[in-house]
Amino acid sequence: MQFLYPSVFWFLLALAIPVIIHLFSFRKARRLNFSSLKNLKLIKKHSDTRNNLKKYLVLASRIMFLMLLIFCFAGPYIPSDSDKKKSNKVVLFIDNSPSMTIEGDDGIPLLDKAVGLGNEVISRYEPNTNFFIVTADEKFSPYNSLGKEAALNFLSGIQVTDNSIKLSGLIDSFDDQRISDADIYLISDFQNNFIDSKLSDTNQNYILIPMFYGPVANVSVDSVYLDKPVLGLADGVSINVALSNKGTISKENIPIRVELNGSQVGVAEASLNINDTEVISFDIKTDLQELNRGKVIVEDMPVSYDNEFFWSLNNIKKVGIDIVSSTDKEVFDALFVGNPLFDYNYFGYGSIDYQSATNSDLLVVNGLKDISTTLLSLIESRLNDGSYVLIIADNLSGSSSQIRQFLTQFGFSQVQVNDRILISKSSFSNPYLDDVFENIPDNLDVPWVKPRMTWRPAESILTLNNGMPVFGKADFNKPLYILSTGLTDSLTNLHKHGLFLPLMYKTAFYSSNSMQKLYFRIEEAAQGVVVDKKVAKGDVVKLSNGSSIIIPEVRAAGNATTLFLPIEANIEAGHYEVYSDESNKNLIAFNLGKEESDPSQLSVDSLKSVFSGTTVLNEPDVASVKATITKMDYGTDIWQWFLIGALLFLLIEILLIRMI
């Protein structure tokens, strides 16, 4: 046992006071006249013995009361046998993701309680401590060290953000030698989705402070999708809303509303048991605009942070397709002529419009032997700009050395297979062909191919039963697609099969990005979101939601643009206009991360199991935080036991005086 304030022991000299009082009685004796002292003398000896014993017991009680009280004020503690001592560097993570707006059992939002505990943590450290405050929208930086007062002021300004963060991201950011011996406090609701890794062995002292809420139901939108992607927008759309209840309570008759451009266009009700899902379809007959702002509203309480789900529809432009070929014109005409979705041009090898072929969304080159050096240069230029090219490679014989050299990098070689090889049924379930087939029957009629070439695709989409590729992406980094069979009846029936039309249409739509997603998740912003917008070199792209403007990092590729938005951009759920000039706008929608709608939490026991060797607070309150930090600094406080002992002896003294 040791003491925080040993100088208090000087007050032990005060123990002499009750002894002096005991030895010298300052009460004056009164003289009473008695007629006879005969009876008093009989009990004198017995009374003196009893009174002396009482006085000694009272004296002992007073001395023990004063002594224990002095020990209490001296701050007794049992030194910690742990090697985790309080550091002069503190990293404090306050989870301010949307789920922290849920109220605890006391009716106080978890974020407010988390900030209060953060204040308590900071107040328990010395003024010369370096503090680093981290939140879901404020990454750790070793250069953002704060003093004690500045850290307290920072906490007071923390607000809820639509961003969410994973534990792995936090741990990786804390892997810095400058805070290798820091105390790291994680104050969070510790949703199951937050935990995506375990702590490795480290000298850092992790203290987990879990914030808990009671059983909740949360009906939210999982996804929104169209019945017929891209097609039929002129006549309205049919939109499907997938709902789920990830809470621990069933919900009945939850109102669901769909709004488009500020007007309500659909309403329904949903009842979902725990972990149930339901899809509701809404037929939207209203006229569509150039840019369409959609929103699904789920009137679910008390968890309301994810009640709104945003989606967008941009005007559909024609997909520019240029075919360069000397044969098979009727095959391509059957696909594209008269279709209002495509701006279609067919050129013979001797009559190519290079201006059109440069600007089209998709350039299809049918055959290898007639490719000129100029056309090959155009192909390479388009690929470098990120514009799509599809080469239908029928035969290497007769092609120029430049073409052979160009194709060699993709592993092309000549083969001679005279047997009909069927395309593998597994190819029909390739993600490239999503939304094409509702189901794939066992007796599916599949096309056949007599291979004349083999190659090494970066991404194989159609393969034969013998494993040879037929259609796929040739390069991971460039949008070059290869169909390694000619469109002649002697080599294949693919061009006459029902698979050929969706294959060509999908490639065309991907090339123009006309299949832009209805919505994005906020966590996708840092990895890049692709929008249907062509950006000229030097253009400054901006995103605006009406209240703020964000300038993202831009990577242009053909008619599509990828936008990279770091966490510092503080993307909010809602609609954003994307523009480089006022006359050319696109619309995208951001929503909270899907996992944020799952309120399930890890229990204290689970946290201790996952994070063995760390400190996990059983009760997230001020007292437990104080006790944890004090134990790190000194050990286990035992002053309260001395206080109880002092009060006990005071009670004994009172009983002795009044009852004996």
Side-chain angles (χ1 to χ4, degrees):
M1 181 174 64
Q2 297 181 16
F3 299 89
L4 290 176
Y5 314 107
S7 59
V8 174
F9 287 129
W10 284 105
F11 287 94
L12 288 175
L13 296 174
L15 296 180
I17 295 174
V19 176
I20 293 172
I21 294 174
H22 177 75
L23 294 178
F24 301 97
S25 175
F26 297 102
R27 291 183 301 173
K28 293 183 178 180
R30 288 189 304 164
R31 182 172 181 173
L32 297 175
N33 296 319
F34 282 86
S35 59
S36 174
L37 300 176
K38 178 181 178 180
N39 293 329
L40 293 177
K41 289 179 180 179
L42 295 175
I43 63 171
K44 182 177 184 302
K45 185 176 181 179
H46 174 74
S47 297
D48 287 347
T49 303
R50 181 179 178 184
N51 287 337
N52 287 337
L53 178 60
K54 175 181 177 180
K55 289 177 181 179
Y56 287 131
L57 290 175
V58 170
L59 175 62
S61 299
R62 287 174 179 172
I63 292 175
M64 290 302 297
F65 166 72
L66 288 174
M67 185 178 67
L68 292 176
L69 193 62
I70 291 169
F71 271 70
C72 175
F73 282 105
Y77 67 93
I78 297 176
S80 174
D81 56 0
S82 171
D83 57 355
K84 294 180 179 178
K85 302 299 182 182
K86 198 164 71 171
S87 172
N88 63 350
K89 301 184 187 72
V90 174
V91 179
L92 178 59
F93 168 68
I94 302 291
D95 187 353
N96 60 336
S97 62
S99 62
M100 291 290 285
T101 60
I102 299 177
E103 296 179 353
D105 293 336
D106 54 5
I108 301 175
L110 297 188
L111 180 58
D112 292 347
K113 297 168 69 174
V115 171
L117 293 179
N119 282 321
E120 180 65 22
V121 169
I122 294 173
S123 66
R124 291 292 161 185
Y125 281 81
E126 286 68 34
N128 63 345
T129 304
N130 295 316
F131 294 95
F132 303 88
I133 310 299
V134 183
T135 63
D137 56 344
E138 184 74 26
K139 293 195 298 185
F140 168 78
S141 170
Y143 305 106
N144 290 345
S145 173
L146 299 174
K148 192 169 185 177
E149 290 300 321
L152 291 171
N153 290 335
F154 188 96
L155 283 188
S156 65
I158 292 179
Q159 301 291 330
V160 176
T161 178
D162 285 343
N163 289 316
S164 55
I165 194 169
K166 297 288 187 181
L167 180 64
S168 59
L170 282 178
I171 295 174
D172 291 344
S173 68
F174 297 157
D175 186 15
D176 191 299
Q177 285 299 316
R178 284 163 288 195
I179 57 166
S180 59
D181 58 345
D183 294 337
I184 299 178
Y185 292 84
L186 305 182
I187 307 180
S188 170
D189 56 1
F190 288 99
Q191 290 176 282
N192 287 339
N193 62 75
F194 173 70
I195 310 299
D196 62 344
S197 68
K198 291 187 176 182
L199 293 176
S200 56
D201 292 336
T202 176
N203 291 327
Q204 294 167 325
N205 180 23
Y206 277 85
I207 301 98
L208 277 57
I209 306 178
M211 312 294 294
F212 294 108
Y213 38 74
V216 293
N218 187 27
V219 176
S220 59
V221 177
D222 267 355
S223 62
V224 169
Y225 57 95
L226 301 178
D227 249 0
K228 298 179 180 179
V230 179
L231 304 178
L233 291 185
D235 301 320
V237 297
S238 179
I239 190 165
N240 299 294
V241 178
L243 302 167
S244 66
N245 178 10
K246 297 185 177 69
T248 55
I249 301 175
S250 299
K251 297 287 281 190
E252 294 183 353
N253 304 323
I254 300 296
I256 312 295
R257 296 187 288 116
V258 176
E259 293 183 359
L260 184 64
N261 299 323
S263 300
Q264 182 171 299
V265 294
V267 63
E269 285 189 346
S271 297
L272 291 96
N273 293 323
I274 302 171
N275 295 324
D276 266 2
T277 59
E278 182 178 348
V279 177
I280 302 176
S281 295
F282 297 89
D283 291 325
I284 301 175
K285 300 301 183 182
T286 184
D287 292 335
L288 296 172
Q289 303 174 6
E290 290 288 306
L291 304 177
N292 299 278
R293 302 169 185 266
K295 182 166 63 174
V296 180
I297 302 170
V298 181
E299 297 182 6
D300 177 36
M301 298 298 288
V303 180
S304 59
Y305 59 83
D306 56 357
N307 280 3
E308 293 184 336
F309 192 93
F310 301 90
W311 52 278
S312 64
L313 275 176
N314 290 308
N315 58 309
I316 292 183
K317 66 177 184 179
K318 289 187 175 183
V319 180
I321 298 179
D322 282 5
I323 309 292
V324 177
S325 176
S326 59
T327 59
D328 307 317
K329 183 176 186 298
E330 68 283 355
V331 174
F332 299 109
D333 286 350
L335 292 175
F336 302 114
V337 169
N339 193 319
L341 294 174
F342 303 106
D343 185 4
Y344 164 66
N345 295 301
Y346 181 92
F347 302 110
Y349 278 97
S351 59
I352 301 174
D353 183 343
Y354 284 94
Q355 181 66 34
S356 175
T358 300
N359 297 324
S360 63
D361 296 303
L362 175 64
L363 174 63
V364 180
V365 179
N366 182 25
L368 298 176
K369 65 179 181 179
D370 294 322
I371 297 179
S372 64
T373 303
T374 305
L375 180 56
L376 180 59
S377 298
L378 173 62
I379 292 172
E380 292 176 332
S381 176
R382 283 181 60 94
L383 293 176
N384 290 332
D385 291 339
S387 299
Y388 278 60
V389 176
L390 169 60
I391 295 178
I392 300 176
D394 54 350
N395 203 312
L396 276 174
S397 61
S399 58
S400 66
S401 59
Q402 292 92 337
I403 295 298
R404 289 174 178 268
Q405 184 177 359
F406 173 74
L407 294 177
T408 298
Q409 60 185 306
F410 310 118
F412 273 87
S413 61
Q414 196 82 33
V415 296
Q416 186 75 26
V417 179
N418 294 321
D419 295 329
R420 295 181 176 184
I421 310 298
L422 297 179
I423 291 178
S424 171
K425 289 183 180 179
S426 62
S427 300
F428 288 74
S429 57
N430 190 288
Y432 192 86
L433 298 173
D434 278 350
D435 305 319
V436 172
F437 305 100
E438 290 186 3
N439 54 70
I440 301 174
D442 294 335
N443 60 347
L444 177 68
D445 176 34
V446 296
W448 55 266
V449 175
K450 292 181 180 179
R452 290 294 181 266
M453 297 180 63
T454 187
W455 56 301
R456 185 182 62 252
E459 178 187 343
S460 185
I461 297 171
L462 296 184
T463 57
L464 300 177
N465 281 336
N466 63 1
M468 294 176 63
V470 176
F471 178 78
K473 190 176 182 181
D475 192 309
F476 281 115
N477 300 315
K478 296 179 181 179
L480 172 63
Y481 288 81
I482 301 292
L483 179 62
S484 58
T485 180
L487 303 181
T488 58
D489 294 344
S490 60
L491 295 178
T492 184
N493 70 339
L494 175 62
H495 56 294
K496 295 183 176 180
H497 192 276
L499 176 63
F500 189 61
L501 183 145
L503 184 68
M504 294 298 293
Y505 278 16
K506 279 280 190 175
T507 306
F509 290 137
Y510 282 128
S511 71
S512 72
N513 205 42
S514 289
M515 300 179 73
Q516 178 177 303
K517 295 173 65 174
L518 294 179
Y519 61 88
F520 299 94
R521 299 287 183 176
I522 290 177
E523 64 263 26
E524 298 178 63
Q527 285 73 43
V529 296
V530 181
V531 297
D532 182 13
K533 183 178 180 63
K534 189 170 185 177
V535 177
K537 187 176 181 180
D539 283 354
V540 177
V541 177
K542 300 177 182 179
L543 274 77
S544 174
N545 63 353
S547 60
S548 62
I549 295 177
I550 301 170
I551 300 179
E553 180 186 345
V554 174
R555 184 179 301 163
N559 292 323
T561 301
T562 304
L563 310 177
F564 297 91
L565 299 152
I567 187 174
E568 294 84 358
N570 289 328
I571 296 293
E572 299 176 355
H575 296 103
Y576 282 80
E577 288 185 347
V578 183
Y579 61 92
S580 52
D581 59 76
E582 290 297 327
S583 61
N584 183 18
K585 292 185 177 182
N586 286 66
L587 190 67
I588 60 176
F590 283 107
N591 289 289
L592 300 178
K594 186 176 181 179
E595 294 176 337
E596 191 67 25
S597 296
D598 185 356
S600 56
Q601 298 177 276
L602 286 179
S603 65
V604 170
D605 290 339
S606 298
L607 287 172
K608 289 180 179 180
S609 174
V610 174
F611 305 110
S612 58
T614 63
T615 302
V616 182
L617 270 62
N618 293 323
E619 295 293 335
D621 53 28
V622 170
S624 60
V625 170
K626 177 182 176 182
T628 299
I629 298 175
T630 302
K631 186 175 181 179
M632 283 195 300
D633 206 2
Y634 301 108
T636 303
D637 280 331
I638 56 174
W639 59 266
Q640 58 270 27
W641 297 109
F642 284 89
L643 179 60
I644 292 172
L647 295 176
L648 181 61
F649 278 103
L650 179 61
L651 178 62
I652 292 174
E653 179 185 352
I654 294 172
L655 293 175
L656 287 171
I657 293 174
R658 293 186 176 274
M659 300 181 65
I660 298 178

